[in-house]
Each structure stands twice: as structure tokens, then as C-alpha cells.
Amino acid sequence: MAVKYPISVTLTDRSKLATVDFSNIPFGKVISDHMFVADYDGKQWVNPRIEPYQNLSLAPSNLALHYGQSIFEGMKATKINGEPVLFRADQHARRLNLSAERMCMPAIPEDLFLQGLKMLVDLDRAFIPEADDHALYIRPMMFATDEYFGVHASEKYKFIIFTGPVGPYYPTPVRLWVEEVFTRAAQGGAGEAKCAGNYGSSLLPAQRAKKAGYDQVMWMDAVEKKYVQEVGTMNLFFVMDGKIITPATTGTILRGITRESFITLLKEWGYTVEDRLLSIAEIADAYWRGSLQECFGAGTAAVVSHISDITWRDRKLELSPVNEQNRPVAFRLKKHINRLRMGLEPDTHGWLSSCANSGILEFMDEKQQALHV
Ligand SMILES: Cc1ncc(COP(=O)(O)O)c(C=O)c1O
């Protein structure tokens, strides 16, 4: 990889690696040794650096904390023949910049994002778990850093990437509640951006659904409360009447990168895929006619998550027990994507990018280089 940006590197002298129990990794709690940081000074991105993962010092008047100029991404790295690879890294960089545009924040140059990311993942490659359904989760984020308490767009920002090993996000099939009181986003809002506020406002409905015995809410459109949107951290797919239908991205839901990858694969495999408005009534009708075969969520964290049931008002749509025979589409996608990320399927779309030759080795002494496997 051509190294364009002078990224400085400070290595930790207290690695956490030995304390990680790779046979039992709670999602989101284990964080690797280093982070990549860059600052926006009002005109340009400066001081790109890799340093030990550590706390930040923020003023209480930090603008992001009050007015929500805070965006993020979620992506994954795995290993192929011992070398770290990223899944669709360029797409995540692009989506972060779309979120930035919506939230009135500066774009981060895609090549700076990718160079910092590859050096970071290469450096902390020992944190990439190799068991089935495991990966290194990568969290790029950007937030305002102006210290000011009036509503305006910040001039200064911080961009950070940190990582951590993860196992499955939803280890068991997911029970959904059709949410008709709260909504996630309306046309013209920020539903398509991966901004912090979208997640903050989803927590109360999710908590209420949990108390009632469900795992997640299925969001409906904000106007008619009729059309299916998405679920917490995943886009939805339905297999019904011999077709695969996924709700259209009309500006209110996240344009999932897993969703787009699955649509591409399914079409190549010869399935009829419809990317369109889909009402909950149409799904219920298919269920009562006995032709709702599968429902699953798709996302970076979730990969493929089987839906066990969907409760709409007082009616419960119970899907078939989860096994490969009942749910061939979901199983095929999950198997394919996992195999692809482990190098067991050819990468015909160029979705994987290697972190080899990231340039990190030159910052290590001989002993550190010898341990860098
Ligand atoms: C709200 C929401 N929808 C969908 C997704 C799935 O998107 P992706 O496949 O890009 O991870 C995510 C996860 O990022 C999400 O947070």
C-alpha cells in the first residue's frame, strides 16, 4: 500500500492481550491495545497518529455532548492465512463521509481513513479472533470538539478508530415487536446517517420491548406506521411467495453494507430480489397463507440473525424453527459470508482488502517484529 500520510506511532508498553479470554468474549467489552486518532483544526485534518487506547479529556462544554455532532461506523476484520483482511472498508469510509455531510461535519479523506485503519489493524492483529462467527470489530467515529454552548456547527473535530474482538451479537434467534407508537426516523430527518442521536432515541422503545419479552423492535415508517423499516442494528430480509424482499432505503433507514452485499449475492445465485416498500400487512398476509418462509436481519455485527417471531399488536407470527432445511436462504448467506471472510470462498467482488504492508513494521523494534504474527 502506498503510504501517503505521515502517521506517527506510539506503541503501548502494557499490552492487554494476555488478559483476553478468547474462548469467552462478551460483545463490545474487550478493546485492543491501540487507536488511530486525527484532529480537524477547522481547515484540515492534522496530526494523524496511532497511540495506546486511552481516555480522552473533554470539556463539559464539548459541543458533541450537547448537540449531537457525533457519527460512527461499524466494520469487521478477519484473518486469511494469518493476515488481517477488512470487509468492504472503502464502503464504510464512504458511508462515514455521507453521515458527516448530513451532520454538517468535515469529510475525512478516504485514503487517510484507510491508511490509518490498515496500520491499526495490522498492529493489533493478535486481537483478531479466529473462531467461527468471531471477528475484530472496528469502530471508526468522529465528533465535534469545540467548547461552546450555543447551537452551531463545530469548527474542530476528532476522528478515532478503535477495535475489539467480538463473538456473535445475537447468539439466539430474535423476537421482534412491531413498534407503532415510537418511530425511528422520518423523511428528511437523519435516519440514513449513522449518527449517535438515532441510537439514543431508539433505547426507550427497545427497553420497553425487552420488558415485554421481545429482543428488538421492528420499526415502521413514521407517517402511516405501515411500512417495515429495519431493526436496531440490522436491515431485514423476508423470504415469501418464492421471492426475497427487503424494505427499500428511502432515506429513513441505514443503507446497510451487508444488505447491499446480500442483494448482490442473492441476485447472482438466481433468486428474485425485490427492494421495495413492504407493509406489515403484506407480511402477515403471507404468513396466514403459509408462504412466509424466512425472516432474518443483516448487519455487520449481526451478520445474519434469524428472526424467531414477529408480534404485531395481538397477533404473533411464529416462523419455522431455525435449521438449514427451514431457512436455506439465511443459512446459505451466513455460510458464504463467513467463508468469504476466512478466505474459503473466492473474493469475486473485491470486497476484501489486506492490511499487509501497512507500514506499521517500521515502527517496531526487532523483538516486537518477531512477535508480530
Ligand atoms: C440501524 C442500523 N441498520 C442497519 C445496520 C446494518 O448495516 P451494515 O450492514 O452496514 O452493518 C446497522 C449496523 O451498522 C444499523 O446500526
Side-chain angles (χ1 to χ4, degrees):
M1 191 179 85
V3 174
K4 182 171 161 196
Y5 292 93
I7 296 177
S8 66
V9 178
T10 310
L11 300 181
T12 184
D13 52 11
R14 261 173 287 164
S15 174
K16 287 173 274 184
L17 187 62
T19 66
V20 180
D21 175 3
F22 281 90
S23 64
N24 175 27
I25 310 174
F27 195 100
K29 292 208 170 149
V30 182
I31 295 176
S32 316
D33 282 342
H34 298 91
M35 61 184 186
F36 172 70
V37 186
D39 298 307
Y40 190 76
D41 66 3
K43 291 196 177 72
Q44 58 184 330
W45 289 97
V46 295
N47 194 15
R49 58 204 185 270
I50 287 179
E51 55 189 35
Y53 178 84
Q54 60 197 289
N55 290 348
L56 303 168
S57 167
L58 292 183
S61 60
N62 172 287
L63 212 134
L65 299 177
H66 302 257
Y67 310 120
Q69 272 190 306
S70 174
I71 57 174
F72 64 100
E73 270 301 317
M75 51 195 293
K76 276 181 175 168
T78 46
K79 272 186 181 169
I80 296 182
N81 299 327
E83 284 299 323
V85 289
L86 303 163
F87 184 72
R88 308 208 70 179
D90 53 340
Q91 295 299 314
H92 286 279
R94 251 164 250 167
R95 190 171 65 186
L96 184 89
N97 281 336
L98 289 174
S99 300
E101 191 182 342
R102 178 64 184 84
M103 301 308 286
C104 205
M105 299 164 80
I108 178 120
E110 208 176 302
D111 49 0
L112 174 59
F113 178 112
L114 293 175
Q115 188 184 325
L117 172 65
K118 288 183 180 182
M119 286 174 77
L120 179 71
V121 172
D122 195 7
L123 174 61
D124 281 338
R125 55 167 61 199
F127 285 85
I128 304 177
E130 296 192 54
D132 278 357
D133 288 334
H134 286 60
L136 186 76
Y137 190 83
I138 300 165
R139 171 50 53 84
M141 59 192 284
M142 190 198 294
F143 57 91
T145 54
D146 274 11
E147 296 170 12
Y148 180 90
F149 57 84
V151 180
H152 80 153
S154 184
E155 285 181 8
K156 299 193 210 83
Y157 295 86
K158 207 176 261 303
F159 174 73
I160 296 179
I161 308 176
F162 67 89
T163 74
V166 294
Y169 193 70
Y170 293 115
T172 52
V174 177
R175 311 185 61 203
L176 294 181
W177 165 253
V178 176
E179 179 58 60
E180 294 178 290
V181 176
F182 297 100
T183 56
R184 182 179 176 277
Q187 288 290 344
E192 212 171 60
K194 206 162 165 65
C195 59
N198 283 338
Y199 296 82
S201 63
S202 75
L203 298 176
L204 177 65
Q207 190 188 58
R208 286 164 55 127
K210 248 187 200 121
K211 277 193 187 144
Y214 307 98
D215 297 307
Q216 275 289 341
V217 303
M218 183 194 273
W219 297 110
M220 295 291 114
D221 74 281
V223 180
E224 295 179 79
K225 314 269 175 67
K226 189 171 154 189
Y227 296 105
V228 175
Q229 303 275 285
E230 62 181 333
V231 165
T233 57
M234 11 185 230
N235 296 110
L236 285 169
F237 284 81
F238 298 83
V239 183
M240 45 199 252
D241 295 318
K243 295 178 292 197
I244 301 170
I245 308 175
T246 186
T249 49
T250 54
T252 55
I253 66 175
L254 196 75
R255 289 179 184 271
I257 291 163
T258 316
R259 174 187 182 277
E260 194 257 316
S261 310
F262 284 1
I263 292 174
T264 302
L265 289 171
L266 290 166
K267 285 185 176 165
E268 281 176 13
W269 293 342
Y271 290 100
T272 304
V273 183
E274 296 182 357
D275 176 349
R276 63 165 169 89
L277 289 181
L278 175 64
S279 70
I280 183 67
E282 184 180 342
I283 295 166
D285 179 60
Y287 175 77
W288 286 315
R289 284 188 288 104
S291 61
L292 174 61
Q293 287 123 10
E294 296 184 49
C295 174
F296 55 91
T300 296
V303 190
V304 172
S305 282
H306 305 286
I307 306 301
S308 63
D309 49 80
I310 303 168
T311 302
W312 179 28
R313 299 177 188 161
D314 56 354
R315 288 160 285 191
K316 186 171 177 188
L317 319 182
E318 277 193 83
L319 282 101
S320 55
V322 175
N323 61 48
E324 194 161 358
Q325 208 176 10
N326 290 335
R327 309 207 184 202
V329 176
F331 270 76
R332 186 170 178 192
L333 282 168
K334 185 168 185 186
K335 194 166 159 192
H336 185 89
I337 217 78
N338 282 340
R339 284 175 56 83
L340 177 70
R341 290 205 264 228
M342 294 168 83
L344 302 170
E345 291 287 341
D347 179 22
T348 52
H349 304 93
W351 286 345
L352 303 175
S353 51
S354 167
C355 299
N357 308 318
S358 70
I360 198 69
L361 277 183
E362 67 185 75
F363 296 95
M364 298 177 172
D365 61 28
E366 276 177 24
K367 201 169 138 216
Q368 288 162 330
Q369 287 192 13
L371 291 172
H372 187 70
V373 284

